[in-house]
Amino acid sequence: MVAVAALWLLIGRVLPDLLWRALPDVILDSLSLPAYSMVCQVVTTLVGLGAARLAFTHMGEALGAKMPSGWDLALAAMLAPAVFVAASFLAIKIAEPSLVAELAREGAGASRRNAGAFGRAVTEAPLLVTLVWAAVLAAVAEELAFRGALFGAIQQSALALFARNEALSERSGAKIVAGCLAVVLTAAAFGAMHADMKGSVGIVRVASATCLGLACGSVRLVTSGIFASTMLHCGYNCVSLGIGRGLFRGDSEPLISVVPNRLLTLAALGAFLAIAISVARRASRSEV
């Protein structure tokens, strides 16, 4: 399983550059950045799934393709804005020293320049194309690779290591420890894979991606599958696109860092509903 995860991540890392060098200029000139990125995402995912199909008798089980309840999916969607707000706040705080120095040195347009073609595509490409590329397809492809193959590889490797020690293997917490290790390591790898921009915007991107990875990994651990984590990831990306497109912009001064108050309200409402529903479900189960 480790070999499949390593192959999957390696392909995801090198394929964009390989295709860029291999494809004829006439094809590259006809592809926009979103279209080219979607091609890379689809090819990477198909190769990864093909390798998993060859390696595992039960591919779905190995990748965490366990069907969740509708409530799990709904709760993940409700929590997405709150996860985005928390990740953005932490990322901005981490990048703040670099951001201040960058503003003093290069001016207000530095972050926009460092975001490059990706930043322009997110804000300027047709909305439907951007949603498919940067929200839905990216979430599916990345969750299959990270919370599917890599998470499973780390969890199973940790459990195999614990099994060599009888004292550890007999403890009921061994599986929880292995799962928590998978959450942390996949989040770190996920953040590292997003280290593709310069300056403070690059720091924000890595830090926020790591926070998202921790949230998605936690959902993967709790639900034992990747569907709810994919829903959370997709919702997070949709909120990020909304920020980039100015959909949450308002006249009031942000109460938290650079998070618009409209988004903060949505995040608070979503978190409140998710908590209320979770408490109500737990109470109803305890009564049965």
Side-chain angles (χ1 to χ4, degrees):
M1 194 163 188
V2 173
V4 171
L7 174 65
W8 201 324
L9 296 183
L10 178 63
I11 292 172
R13 190 65 174 177
V14 304
L15 183 65
D17 186 59
L18 289 178
L19 280 182
W20 190 261
R21 296 172 183 273
L23 291 176
D25 290 341
V26 64
I27 295 179
L28 292 175
D29 292 341
S30 67
L31 292 174
S32 63
L33 176 59
Y36 182 75
S37 297
M38 284 191 280
V39 170
C40 294
Q41 289 167 343
V42 170
V43 172
T44 299
T45 301
L46 289 177
V47 173
L49 289 175
R53 182 68 183 87
L54 292 174
F56 309 124
T57 304
H58 303 289
M59 183 182 72
E61 181 180 343
L63 296 179
K66 177 183 177 181
M67 188 59 65
S69 68
W71 282 116
D72 287 336
L73 294 176
L75 291 173
M78 291 176 192
L79 288 172
V83 171
F84 181 89
V85 168
S88 298
F89 176 77
L90 290 172
I92 290 293
K93 287 300 180 184
I94 292 171
E96 196 169 44
S98 177
L99 178 60
V100 171
E102 190 177 81
L103 286 172
R105 185 177 62 252
E106 303 178 38
S111 295
R112 191 178 301 108
R113 290 192 296 272
N114 288 335
F118 177 85
R120 291 193 297 274
V122 166
T123 57
E124 298 173 7
L127 180 58
L128 181 59
V129 172
T130 307
L131 282 172
V132 173
W133 157 53
V136 179
L137 191 56
V140 172
E142 291 174 349
E143 287 307 303
L144 278 169
F146 286 92
R147 259 61 63 179
L150 184 59
F151 189 102
I154 294 172
Q155 189 177 45
Q156 291 303 316
S157 297
L159 287 174
L161 183 62
F162 293 158
R164 297 178 183 178
N165 187 313
E166 292 185 5
L168 286 175
S169 63
E170 290 175 358
R171 295 178 183 175
S172 59
K175 188 172 183 180
I176 295 176
V177 172
C180 291
L181 184 63
V183 170
V184 173
L185 293 182
T186 53
F190 187 64
M193 287 288 281
H194 285 78
D196 52 5
M197 293 183 184
K198 300 184 296 181
S200 59
V201 70
I203 297 173
V204 170
R205 182 165 164 79
V206 170
S208 58
T210 302
C211 292
L212 173 60
L214 289 171
C216 288
S218 298
V219 171
R220 163 71 165 90
L221 180 62
V222 171
T223 63
S224 301
I226 62 170
F227 288 102
S229 68
T230 302
M231 178 64 75
L232 173 61
H233 194 152
C234 183
Y236 182 103
N237 288 354
C238 286
V239 173
S240 180
L241 292 178
I243 287 286
R245 301 263 174 166
L247 299 182
F248 298 104
R249 190 176 298 139
D251 297 329
S252 56
E253 187 72 19
L255 296 175
I256 295 181
S257 191
V258 295
V259 178
N261 289 336
R262 291 178 181 177
L263 175 57
L264 184 61
T265 301
L266 178 63
L269 179 61
F272 174 79
L273 288 175
I275 293 171
I277 291 171
S278 298
V279 170
R281 290 179 65 202
R282 178 169 297 183
S284 64
R285 282 198 294 263
S286 64
E287 292 175 358
V288 175

